[in-house]
Amino acid sequence: MSEVFFYHLTSSPLEQPLPQLLDRSLQNDWRVIVRSGEEAHVKWLEKMLWGGNTPQFLPHGVSGGAHDADQPILLTTGAENANASQALMLVNGAKTNTDEVSKFERISLIFNGNDETAVLDARAEWKLLTDAGVAAKYWSQASGRWEMKAEKNC
């Protein structure tokens, strides 16, 4: 059954938890789509993943290439699942919908807790998805480490 994890970043920037979450997904033998809300951010993600901010190499590509279907991690702004992913990570304002949720084992919505618009958008996503019967967990790092603050089993 699909579930959505909300990750509320307050004490670290995206470049710290994202590689960890990607690594865990690959360890689960999941392919991953990382969807950003804007194209410039996809380019930043690609640089970040190639730039040595990760403890190990995370194989990835940017959507639109000839080998999208072969990529373990595919960076995109689009809604297509070109690499048959089991996990979808939403960053920088990217959204999902109730129809899409069932197509993945896990969706992670990672948002900047220091950006009021991002917080309001995440709250709206939580309400939309849980009201539709989607199981969700809310994780916060406000204490300096990740803690589950809310859970909705549907």
Side-chain angles (χ1 to χ4, degrees):
M1 173 168 272
S2 301
E3 57 186 347
V4 179
F5 283 19
F6 288 75
Y7 291 98
H8 187 163
L9 302 175
T10 56
S11 61
S12 67
L14 179 63
E15 56 265 28
Q16 289 178 353
L18 182 62
Q20 295 168 345
L21 293 169
L22 290 170
D23 184 51
R24 282 191 210 146
S25 294
L26 294 178
Q27 288 176 21
N28 283 333
D29 292 324
W30 290 345
R31 289 176 175 258
V32 184
I33 289 181
V34 179
R35 181 185 304 153
S36 177
E38 58 184 62
E39 191 63 41
H41 194 253
V42 169
K43 291 176 182 174
W44 177 85
L45 287 168
E46 182 182 29
K47 279 179 132 177
M48 187 264 300
L49 290 175
W50 279 111
N53 290 336
T54 59
Q56 79 253 358
F57 176 71
L58 294 168
H60 66 279
V62 175
S63 68
H67 303 287
D68 285 1
D70 301 324
Q71 300 298 332
I73 300 169
L74 190 62
L75 310 174
T76 188
T77 58
E80 67 283 345
N81 188 354
N83 65 341
S85 288
Q86 293 82 14
L88 171 64
M89 296 191 185
L90 304 166
V91 299
N92 195 43
K95 299 193 181 335
T96 189
N97 59 57
T98 54
D99 293 331
E100 183 179 56
V101 169
S102 64
K103 297 175 184 175
F104 295 92
E105 292 185 43
R106 175 158 314 145
I107 295 179
S108 299
L109 191 149
I110 308 163
F111 63 100
N112 181 349
N114 300 311
D115 177 342
E116 188 59 32
T117 300
V119 172
L120 292 173
D121 287 349
R123 287 181 183 153
E125 287 287 298
W126 174 275
K127 182 163 179 29
L128 172 81
L129 296 172
T130 58
D131 285 355
V134 175
K137 293 180 180 176
Y138 167 70
W139 295 87
S140 172
Q141 61 176 188
S143 70
R145 62 182 187 86
W146 288 108
E147 295 178 358
M148 187 171 54
K149 298 287 191 174
E151 180 175 13
K152 181 99 180 213
N153 293 316
C154 300

